[in-house]
Each structure stands twice: as C-alpha cells, then as structure tokens.
Amino acid sequence: MEGVQVDALRGVSLRINEGDFAAILGPSGSGKSTLMHLLGCLDRPTSGVLRIGGQDVAKLSPNALAELRNSQIGFVFQSFHLLPRTSARENVALPLVYRGIGRAERRRRATAALAKVGLDHRLGHRPSQLSGGEQQRVAIARALVGDPGVVLADEPTGNLDTRTGHEVMDLLERLNAEQGVAVVLVTHEPDVAERARRQIHIRDGLIERDTGGGPGTRRRP
C-alpha cells in the first residue's frame, strides 16, 4: 500500500480452550477475519507466538501446517465451497483423501459424518440438488469428518434465511455440547453471537471485550 503499514491485529492475546463456543464480533476492518485466518493457520503472524496444543505453529513448514489443519481444524465457510459435480458424500470425504485413507473407509466416515448432521438420506445428491441449509450441513459434516478439536466457522449463517440459520446454529450447539468440539465463529449478527457462550469483540485490531465464558465442556491439558 505504497509503503503504508497496516496492523490488522495489535497486541492480541487470546486462548481458545477445548470445548469452547465463542463468537468473534466487530465492524468491517476490525481484524476479526485476520484473527480467524491466524487461528486456522491460513496466515502466519508477523510477530508473537501462535500455539496449537502447545506447539508453536509459526515454525512449521507449509506441508506440516497443511497436515495440522487437516487433522486438527475443521473449516465452515459462508459460501459453502462444495465441489459442484461431486456428491455430498464425496465432498465430505475429500479431507480424508489427503490423509491417504482408503476409499471404503472414506465412504464409511463420510456417511457417519452426514448422519450426524441429519443428511444420511442425501449421500448421492450434488450441491445443486440441495437447499442452502443442506449445503451448509454438508460443509459442517466435511469439517467434522476428520475429528478435529476445533471448528472455525466464517459467517456460517450469512447466506441462509433466518429459519435455516437457526437450524444451523442448533446443529453447531448440539455438536459442541454432545461431542465437545470447540466452535469459533465470526458473525455480524448479534442474535447469532448471543447463542455462543463467549463473545470476543474486536475493534481496530484490538480485543475490546471478551466475555470469557469460562472453560468449555472439556479442557486440553
């Protein structure tokens, strides 16, 4: 930017515990997307330390980072990002391909993940044959198929109508409560944020307020 340095985040200190359910809020340009990208190991911090499970991930190679994302982090995006010519089950199984898991086991795990989100009757349907809510459920199943410790959701209800958005939030709440999967979501919607046990408010690259929420249902040593 013509020599102008912009600090997207400044002096942020944050810990996400296993089992947390946290919402990141803030106006446009506040740094919440940058924070989400850092938590997901999609960006590297220019200074400071980022640890996942006690490991400083800033020192990992690109391949090691990719393996960490695949094994420990699930991603859910506002625009679903499903492969259009691929069935729901094949979309969900895709992360397992990169782990070298055989086809039969991939299909079994993908089927089980889709059952968790109530879509085991849509295994062979392509995204164009699914509603927006069903596509987001497929995306959530894809995030869960690798048994991650945390799911990062970027505006997971942004492209959905109000009723379907509530259904997706019900699903995330249930997965968090019943399976102990930590959920961190970015949202502009106050009613969505209120459903999280913890709200992290960001402004001008700083955490303005963090309700804390205490430890989650489980805590990593």
Side-chain angles (χ1 to χ4, degrees), residues 92-106:
V92 171
L94 186 60
L96 303 178
V97 173
Y98 300 105
R99 294 195 192 182
I101 294 174
R103 185 172 183 270
E105 180 62 13
R106 293 199 306 267

Side-chain angles (χ1 to χ4, degrees), residues 173-203:
E173 285 182 343
R174 189 170 72 249
L175 292 169
N176 172 258
E178 295 177 359
Q179 299 183 35
V181 178
V183 177
V184 181
L185 60 91
V186 165
T187 183
H188 286 92
E189 303 172 65
D191 58 328
V192 171
E194 287 173 2
R195 298 185 62 168
R197 291 194 304 275
R198 178 181 181 185
Q199 291 84 39
I200 301 164
H201 298 260
I202 295 184
R203 184 179 295 272

Side-chain angles (χ1 to χ4, degrees), residues 70-87:
N70 185 277
S71 64
Q72 298 191 36
I73 304 171
F75 295 92
V76 178
F77 303 98
Q78 178 178 351
S79 299
F80 316 139
H81 293 307
L82 301 177
L83 299 178
R85 298 183 181 180
T86 304
S87 71

Side-chain angles (χ1 to χ4, degrees), residues 20-120:
D20 266 351
F21 196 136
I24 300 174
L25 305 94
S28 296
S30 61
K32 59 185 182 298
S33 292
T34 299
L35 178 57
M36 181 68 88
H37 290 170
L38 288 171
L39 293 176
C41 300
L42 299 173
D43 286 337
R44 293 178 184 266
T46 51
S47 63
V49 178
L50 173 63
R51 293 190 179 95
I52 294 181
Q55 183 178 28
D56 185 357
V57 301
K59 299 177 181 178
L60 297 179
S61 68
N63 285 344
L65 270 178
E67 290 177 5
L68 183 145
R69 285 193 298 267
N70 185 277
S71 64
Q72 298 191 36
I73 304 171
F75 295 92
V76 178
F77 303 98
Q78 178 178 351
S79 299
F80 316 139
H81 293 307
L82 301 177
L83 299 178
R85 298 183 181 180
T86 304
S87 71
R89 180 161 54 188
E90 290 170 329
N91 265 288
V92 171
L94 186 60
L96 303 178
V97 173
Y98 300 105
R99 294 195 192 182
I101 294 174
R103 185 172 183 270
E105 180 62 13
R106 293 199 306 267
R107 289 170 63 88
R108 186 193 68 78
R109 294 192 192 185
T111 299
L114 284 165
K116 289 179 182 178
V117 301
L119 283 181
D120 46 337

